[in-house]
Amino acid sequence: TSVSLLVNQYLYSNYSWARYTSSLPDLLLITVLFTTAAAYSLFRFRISRGAVDLITLTCKLLALVAPLSYITKSVLKYIFGRITTREWLRAPEQYGFHWFQGRDRFSGFPSGHMLVFTALIAVIWRLYPRYRGGCIAFLLLMALALIATNYHFVSDVLAGAFCGFLIEAGIWRVMSRRDRSAYPALPDP
């Protein structure tokens, strides 16, 4: 909460910053739909050509992680029903969880953007170790942006990242056990 107050005091005192960040469109659903469709299509194409390799595995994992992370985000937001940061700044007495009321102004926890993008980035982290530095940089920048635009409390962002890692790890564990013969070079779960 103190970070949100600092952001509000120092960044939102700038009218241009406040106006710009208040009008950002939410493209998360479109991103998830596009990622799922593209990854699944590429996976099916590569399988039809007999390509069972790292790219095929990546596509399969992304096609599973993207929609599952989005659904998980929606369910968790509904269950926890925490007020968003911007609403809290207007009505501090509403701070906290409002169980099973997660819609509109009670949809702050966990950060859906952080959850979904962490799950997607975790796929890259796992399968392409040489890009781990870029993965960390991307997630840190996203976390900073979500906090600096007063879309989320720090705890919303941390919970979203944690859930995103859990989703990817769970899907990986199930998939790697099931597909061990198809992808013999898979690392252990």
Side-chain angles (χ1 to χ4, degrees), residues 65-140:
V65 164
L68 186 59
S69 62
Y70 190 85
I71 291 166
T72 302
K73 174 260 327 175
S74 300
V75 169
L76 290 176
K77 281 180 178 285
Y78 177 75
I79 290 170
F80 287 105
R82 176 144 87 179
I83 195 164
T84 63
T85 307
R86 290 177 181 188
E87 289 296 324
W88 172 73
L89 288 166
R90 289 186 209 119
E93 69 280 357
Q94 292 288 314
Y95 182 75
F97 296 106
H98 301 269
W99 301 99
F100 299 99
Q101 296 183 29
R103 57 193 169 281
D104 302 324
R105 51 185 260 178
F106 297 111
S107 62
F109 185 89
S111 167
H113 287 80
M114 199 68 194
L115 193 155
V116 170
F117 281 102
T118 299
L120 295 172
I121 293 297
V123 171
I124 306 305
W125 173 276
R126 180 180 304 278
L127 299 176
Y128 301 92
R130 67 176 176 248
Y131 297 120
R132 287 184 176 169
C135 292
I136 290 172
F138 177 84
L139 290 177
L140 287 174

Side-chain angles (χ1 to χ4, degrees), residues 32 34-48 51-69 119-120 122-124 126-128 167-168 170-184 186:
V32 167
F34 177 78
T35 300
T36 303
Y40 184 73
S41 297
L42 188 55
F43 168 73
R44 296 304 305 164
F45 175 77
R46 293 182 64 76
I47 287 293
S48 72
V52 181
D53 58 7
L54 189 60
I55 295 171
T56 306
L57 175 62
T58 304
C59 291
K60 182 177 184 180
L61 196 52
L62 288 172
L64 293 169
V65 164
L68 186 59
S69 62
L120 295 172
V123 171
I124 306 305
R126 180 180 304 278
L127 299 176
Y128 301 92
I167 289 167
E168 187 277 338
I171 292 173
W172 173 259
R173 187 169 183 87
V174 169
M175 207 174 91
S176 64
R177 284 189 177 176
R178 215 183 98 226
D179 294 349
R180 175 78 43 207
S181 60
Y183 301 99
L186 284 178

Side-chain angles (χ1 to χ4, degrees), residues 7-21:
V7 167
N8 191 51
Q9 181 180 358
Y10 291 106
L11 291 178
Y12 276 78
S13 61
N14 178 331
Y15 176 74
S16 297
W17 176 260
R19 192 183 61 178
Y20 174 72
T21 60

Side-chain angles (χ1 to χ4, degrees), residues 136-149:
I136 290 172
F138 177 84
L139 290 177
L140 287 174
L141 287 172
M142 172 165 270
L144 182 62
L146 291 168
I147 294 164
T149 55

